[in-house]
């Protein structure tokens, strides 16, 4: 099932491959990027599309808003199905450097 309209606002702690780790309050959340992930600026203008282009423009310490959806990622092992979900970034909006 997909539940649209979910988001995190936080500070990027790490970008590795197609994954971004975001510090939200005291917890760290991980989201995956894919070929459809969009990066937008403070004004909402498009900066990049696709995880490779987006990852190249993100850096630790940036304040961002990440809109994501839930994707199911079931693992089949013989007769057993292990249900799993992951969060896929739909849009990452840069909000500027962290205000101290």
């Amino acid at each position: 099932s997909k539940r649209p309209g979910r988001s995190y606002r936080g500070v990027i702690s790490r970008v590795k491959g197609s994954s971004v780790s975001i510090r939200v309050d005291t917890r760290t959340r991980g989201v995956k990027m894919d070929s459809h992930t969009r990066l937008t600026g403070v004004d909402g203008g498009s900066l990049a599309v696709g995880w490779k282009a987006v990852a190249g423009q993100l850096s630790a310490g940036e304040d961002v808003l990440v809109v994501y959806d839930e994707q199911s990622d079931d693992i089949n092992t013989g007769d057993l199905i292990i249900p799993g979900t992951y969060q896929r970034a739909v849009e990452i909006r840069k909000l500027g450097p962290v205000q101290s």
Side-chain angles (χ1 to χ4, degrees):
S1 71
K2 293 182 186 176
R3 291 182 289 196
R6 307 186 112 209
S7 63
Y8 293 132
R9 178 170 181 179
V11 178
I12 294 176
S13 56
R14 188 169 91 157
V15 179
K16 184 173 183 184
S18 63
S19 297
V20 180
S21 296
I22 301 148
R23 201 168 52 252
V24 181
D25 295 324
T26 59
R27 303 179 78 177
T28 299
R29 303 289 188 183
V31 292
K32 297 236 186 228
M33 298 181 286
D34 66 14
S35 62
H36 303 289
T37 301
R38 289 187 321 271
L39 177 66
T40 58
V42 177
D43 61 356
S46 183
L47 300 175
V49 177
W51 76 265
K52 287 181 183 176
V54 171
Q57 294 192 41
L58 295 176
S59 57
E62 285 187 283
D63 193 13
V64 293
L65 175 69
V66 178
V67 177
Y68 65 89
D69 62 16
E70 302 255 325
Q71 298 288 316
S72 69
D73 192 17
D74 296 343
I75 300 167
N76 294 324
T77 57
D79 295 337
L80 183 65
I81 297 175
I82 302 168
T85 59
Y86 67 93
Q87 291 154 346
R88 181 184 69 88
V90 176
E91 179 181 321
I92 299 174
R93 176 174 288 197
K94 288 188 174 197
L95 301 174
V98 176
Q99 305 297 319
S100 49

